[in-house]
Amino acid sequence: MLEVRDLSVSYGEHRALEGVSVKVAPGEIVVILGANGAGKSTLLRSIAGICEGRHTGAVEMDGHAVLGLSSDVIVERGIALVPEGRGIFGDLTVRENLLLGAYSARARSDETANLDRVLSLFPKLNERQGQVARTMSGGEQQMVAIGRAMMSNPSILMLDEPSLGLSPLLCKELFQSLTIIRQAGIGILLVEQNAKQSLAIADRGYLLENAHIVHEDSAANLARDPAVQKAYLGAGAAKSPQRSVEPPATQATETSVPETPRPKARTLQHQSADDLVGMPISDLVAGASKRAVSVPKGRSGETPKRDPANGSDRLRATILEIERAAADARQRPVRARLRDPETPTKMTAPKSAEPKEKPVVVEVYRAPRVEIYRRRPDTGKFTRE
């Protein structure tokens, strides 16, 4: 039997576990429920001897103290851990991973029997003994991790989140395998996020919150507990209130809040150009054309007087500017003909002067010239070769 009494673990000033007591009997499945960071993994690592924190309390296996011993000695005492993330050797085959689990002295004599038991429990591993472990799926790798731990011939098997990352179908097969392991007389201490399935196969359970065990009961009672259902099984949560249908505005109750009237949309007021100018646009254009033709020479730039009675001043000023531009455009051929009688009536654009030719620049690149001078030993003078 595995018995943990008043176990406390701290990392410096941080208290990961405080006064935790847990019991696991042979052939019994005990589940630890708790939120992330409650200390579940720290509990398993402390029992397995791989926790780096400072320990106080007692951990006994069949009456022998194991707290503070090295991990290989704890395996010899009959405690095996399947860590979170599986931790298998990805470059080794399935068979090599399984045989590495039988390195302890207590498992060497029963290596063949344990291997047959693991392969019968997980038939897929029997078919893939020569396959490299890293090429297998997540569920198959989890089978390898559990099988390797069982190869050490343990009395207590601890599993840390074994269904993490597995599909629902693989999770179902995994929990069925755990029930078969229990029938072999092996006690199981299970830390699992899937509270519903873990309570379905467990005998007892503990609730671990903020480094403390807050509740202990049978798995059936824990599954029926409203607090456990609300916290871990997703049940008992308060439903969001449904919105009531508001009564019509004509049947408003005393508690109803009067609806704020929405501002009416602004309607666009359309006004014709004739109304803005004060006269028909067609008459205005015709009159502008007549005045533009009759404008005398030299007086096209004069600004006619404004008539405030005819529409907006800005619009009339714009129209007058257009009239002046039109009059100037009509008078330009006449002015050109008066200045030069030989100038044709039709205005032609002046030809642009042809650009002067630019001098052609030819760049010549010469290879560098290397000259060698040698010194004559007889005269001491340098001669060029």
Side-chain angles (χ1 to χ4, degrees):
M1 173 183 287
L2 174 65
E3 185 175 2
V4 179
R5 296 193 306 270
D6 198 23
L7 177 63
S8 298
V9 180
S10 59
Y11 299 93
E13 298 297 330
H14 174 66
R15 200 78 163 180
L17 291 176
E18 188 167 0
V20 173
S21 298
V22 176
K23 292 182 180 180
V24 183
E28 182 184 29
I29 298 180
V30 178
V31 62
I32 307 293
L33 299 179
N36 293 334
K40 304 185 300 297
S41 298
T42 300
L43 174 61
L44 299 188
R45 294 172 66 87
S46 300
I47 298 173
I50 57 175
C51 184
E52 299 177 354
R54 183 167 54 88
H55 308 80
T56 58
V59 177
E60 295 181 358
M61 181 62 190
D62 296 333
H64 300 281
V66 296
L67 184 64
L69 300 179
S70 60
S71 59
D72 58 329
V73 177
I74 293 177
V75 172
E76 293 286 355
R77 298 292 176 87
I79 301 176
L81 171 65
V82 180
E84 181 181 357
R86 308 177 187 101
I88 63 175
F89 297 95
D91 294 331
L92 301 182
T93 63
V94 172
R95 184 180 180 85
E96 291 170 344
N97 272 277
L98 296 178
L99 294 178
L100 280 176
Y103 77 95
S104 60
R106 64 177 287 144
R108 290 173 187 171
S109 58
D110 298 331
E111 179 179 331
T112 303
N114 290 333
L115 181 60
D116 294 339
R117 181 176 62 175
V118 170
L119 295 180
S120 62
L121 180 62
F122 303 109
K124 291 184 178 180
L125 301 185
N126 189 20
E127 300 172 358
R128 305 185 180 186
Q129 295 188 43
Q131 183 174 348
V132 178
R134 59 180 171 81
T135 63
M136 306 178 72
S137 65
E140 293 168 347
Q141 291 183 15
Q142 188 66 60
M143 295 177 188
V144 175
I146 296 175
R148 183 184 60 184
M150 292 184 59
M151 287 294 294
S152 65
N153 195 19
S155 299
I156 300 296
L157 179 64
M158 301 188 299
L159 299 98
D160 190 2
E161 303 284 1
S163 69
L164 185 64
L166 302 185
S167 64
L169 181 59
L170 291 178
C171 288
K172 184 178 179 180
E173 295 179 359
L174 173 64
F175 285 108
Q176 290 176 352
S177 302
L178 295 182
T179 58
I180 299 175
I181 295 173
R182 174 179 58 182
Q183 296 174 2
I186 300 176
I188 298 177
L189 181 59
L190 177 63
V191 169
E192 177 54 46
Q193 60 176 351
N194 193 334
K196 185 176 181 179
Q197 292 191 7
S198 59
L199 288 175
I201 66 171
D203 299 299
R204 294 186 299 108
Y206 295 87
L207 298 183
L208 184 61
E209 294 183 3
N210 297 326
H212 295 82
I213 295 292
V214 296
H215 189 47
E216 174 190 359
D217 207 338
S218 64
N221 293 337
L222 288 176
R224 291 190 297 264
D225 192 338
V228 176
Q229 292 179 353
K230 183 178 179 180
Y232 304 106
L233 302 180
K239 297 182 179 180
S240 58
Q242 298 181 354
R243 295 183 179 179
S244 59
V245 180
E246 296 182 0
T250 57
Q251 300 178 359
T253 59
E254 295 180 358
T255 58
S256 62
V257 180
E259 185 179 359
T260 305
R262 296 181 180 179
K264 296 182 179 180
R266 297 176 59 185
T267 58
L268 298 177
Q269 296 181 357
H270 298 280
Q271 190 173 5
S272 62
D274 297 345
D275 297 337
L276 292 175
V277 178
M279 60 182 301
I281 294 297
S282 58
D283 297 344
L284 178 63
V285 175
S289 301
K290 293 179 180 179
R291 287 193 297 271
V293 174
S294 61
V295 172
K297 293 184 296 181
R299 299 187 60 186
S300 61
E302 296 181 2
T303 303
K305 297 182 179 180
R306 294 182 180 180
D307 186 2
N310 295 332
S312 174
D313 291 344
R314 292 184 58 187
L315 181 58
R316 182 164 294 281
T318 303
I319 294 175
L320 295 176
E321 187 68 25
I322 294 174
E323 293 177 359
R324 289 195 300 270
D328 291 340
R330 290 187 177 90
Q331 294 297 325
R332 284 171 188 166
V334 179
R335 295 174 182 174
R337 193 166 51 251
L338 293 176
R339 288 195 302 267
D340 189 1
E342 297 180 357
T343 303
T345 304
K346 184 177 179 181
M347 298 295 294
T348 57
K351 297 182 179 181
S352 58
E354 296 181 358
K356 297 181 181 180
E357 295 183 358
K358 295 183 179 180
V360 179
V361 179
V362 179
E363 297 182 359
V364 179
Y365 296 90
R366 296 181 179 178
R369 182 178 180 182
V370 180
E371 296 181 354
I372 301 176
Y373 293 85
R374 294 185 181 275
R375 183 176 182 179
R376 299 182 61 177
D378 51 350
T379 61
K381 295 182 180 180
F382 290 93
T383 59
R384 185 178 62 182
E385 294 185 358

